[in-house]
């Protein structure tokens, strides 16, 4: 009798096991968002990139005062060098800045709608950053903060896109893309802002504000060491 009962249970147990692993695999697949279909970050200026282009990656938090202070000299340096330097900004919303994630999500939404408005919004966040510090929104609900930041972000887009910015916070894709940016920062070992990488290598003491002259002292020797860029092959990213 025991043998017969065991044999009758075998197909049921097998089906249960197969169902369990199928569901588990489906859950893992649905939660898997890495690697993303596109390299993370906002490109500061679209121009041809060749093998000698100096690549700067900046990890910034739109509600971080140090990120705010580091941006003007970095922007000045990148504008000075033009196509010799390629800048990508990665968002790292720090958990102790209460509104950093919502602000980062606003930047993601605006970037998806109009890439030319991304950096104006980042600079607007920096300019009026005090509005989004922890103490200023302490007595606001989460929904109120989201609405406040969504409406703030509409200042940099056309009137026809304002409703799209607000509704973007209801789109799970914008949440996913913002999370991917955070995960990318973590994968690079970045835990503070601002943090800078040049040609893939972290700058010493890059968590402190770098001056324009400081950026020149970093980039000039790299350009000198490259020689004539016309000898290199061009690639387009």
């Amino acid at each position: 009798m025991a043998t017969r009962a065991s044999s009758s249970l075998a197909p049921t147990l097998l089906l249960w096991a197969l169902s369990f692993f199928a569901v588990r695999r489906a859950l893992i697949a649905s939660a898997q968002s890495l690697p993303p279909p596109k390299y993370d970050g906002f490109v500061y200026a679209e121009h041809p990139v060749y093998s000698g282009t100096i690549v700067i990656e900046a990890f910034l938090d739109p509600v971080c005062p140090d990120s705010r202070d580091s941006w003007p000299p970095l922007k000045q340096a990148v504008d000075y060098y033009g196509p010799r330097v390629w800048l990508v900004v990665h968002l790292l919303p720090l958990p102790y800045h209460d509104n950093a994630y919502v602000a980062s999500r606003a930047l993601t939404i605006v970037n998806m709608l109009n890439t030319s408005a991304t950096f104006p919004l980042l600079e607007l966040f920096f300019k009026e950053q005090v509005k989004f510090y922890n103490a200023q929104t302490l007595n606001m609900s989460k929904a109120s903060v989201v609405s406040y930041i969504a409406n703030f972000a509409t200042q940099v887009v056309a009137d026809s896109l304002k409703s799209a910015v607000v509704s973007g916070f209801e789109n799970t894709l914008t949440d996913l893309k913002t999370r991917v940016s955070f995960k990318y920062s973590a994968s690079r070992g970045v835990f503070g802002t601002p943090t800078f990488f040049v040609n893939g290598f972290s700058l010493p003491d890059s968590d402190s504000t770098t001056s324009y002259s400081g950026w020149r002292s970093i980039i000039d020797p790299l350009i000198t060491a490259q020689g004539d860029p016309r000898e290199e092959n061009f690639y387009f990213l």
Side-chain angles (χ1 to χ4, degrees):
M1 293 294 293
T3 302
R4 185 177 300 174
S6 298
S7 62
S8 64
L9 285 173
T12 302
L13 291 173
L14 179 60
L15 287 173
W16 180 88
L18 291 174
S19 299
F20 171 80
F21 286 111
V23 171
R24 182 175 182 271
R25 183 175 182 180
L27 289 173
I28 293 174
S30 63
Q32 178 67 32
S33 59
L34 302 174
K38 184 179 178 182
Y39 191 76
D40 178 76
F42 305 141
V43 179
Y44 174 68
E46 297 287 352
H47 53 64
V49 177
Y50 63 100
S51 59
T53 300
I54 296 166
V55 176
I56 299 176
E57 293 177 90
F59 294 80
L60 305 176
D61 177 340
V63 191
C64 167
D66 290 333
S67 293
R68 176 198 62 203
D69 295 342
S70 72
W71 176 248
L74 172 59
K75 178 183 176 181
Q76 184 182 3
V78 173
D79 289 342
Y80 173 80
Y81 289 104
R84 298 299 301 267
V85 173
W86 196 64
L87 171 63
V88 183
V89 171
H90 305 284
L91 297 178
L92 176 55
L94 298 174
Y96 40 83
H97 294 152
D98 291 346
N99 303 311
Y101 187 82
V102 180
S104 296
R105 193 171 176 187
L107 283 159
T108 299
I109 293 169
V110 167
N111 183 257
M112 293 173 66
L113 295 172
N114 181 6
T115 55
S116 64
T118 305
F119 287 97
L121 178 56
L122 178 63
E123 293 177 352
L124 188 61
F125 271 120
F126 286 155
K127 180 181 178 181
E128 303 188 34
Q129 195 178 74
V130 67
K131 293 181 178 180
F132 309 105
Y133 290 161
N134 297 5
Q136 274 64 27
T137 59
L138 181 63
N139 297 318
M140 296 175 63
S141 67
K142 181 178 179 181
S144 297
V145 170
V146 170
S147 177
Y148 180 47
I149 290 179
N151 284 287
F152 176 85
T154 63
Q155 297 178 67
V156 300
V157 298
D159 290 340
S160 59
L161 294 176
K162 289 184 177 180
S163 60
V165 173
V166 175
S167 62
F169 283 92
E170 301 173 2
N171 186 341
T172 56
L173 177 60
T174 67
D175 181 47
L176 177 62
K177 288 177 71 68
T178 310
R179 294 186 186 199
V180 166
S181 294
F182 182 88
K183 292 178 181 179
Y184 177 78
S185 300
S187 74
R188 296 289 297 274
V190 180
F191 55 85
T193 58
T195 296
F196 304 106
F197 283 73
V198 176
N199 289 345
F201 286 83
S202 177
L203 291 183
D205 301 322
S206 64
D207 59 337
S208 59
T209 300
T210 301
S211 65
Y212 172 69
S213 60
W215 279 113
R216 291 290 305 271
S217 68
I218 293 168
I219 298 173
D220 281 346
L222 300 180
I223 291 179
T224 301
Q226 289 178 4
D228 189 348
R230 292 173 295 182
E231 298 177 359
E232 302 288 347
N233 295 320
F234 276 76
Y235 301 91
F236 293 87
L237 299 182

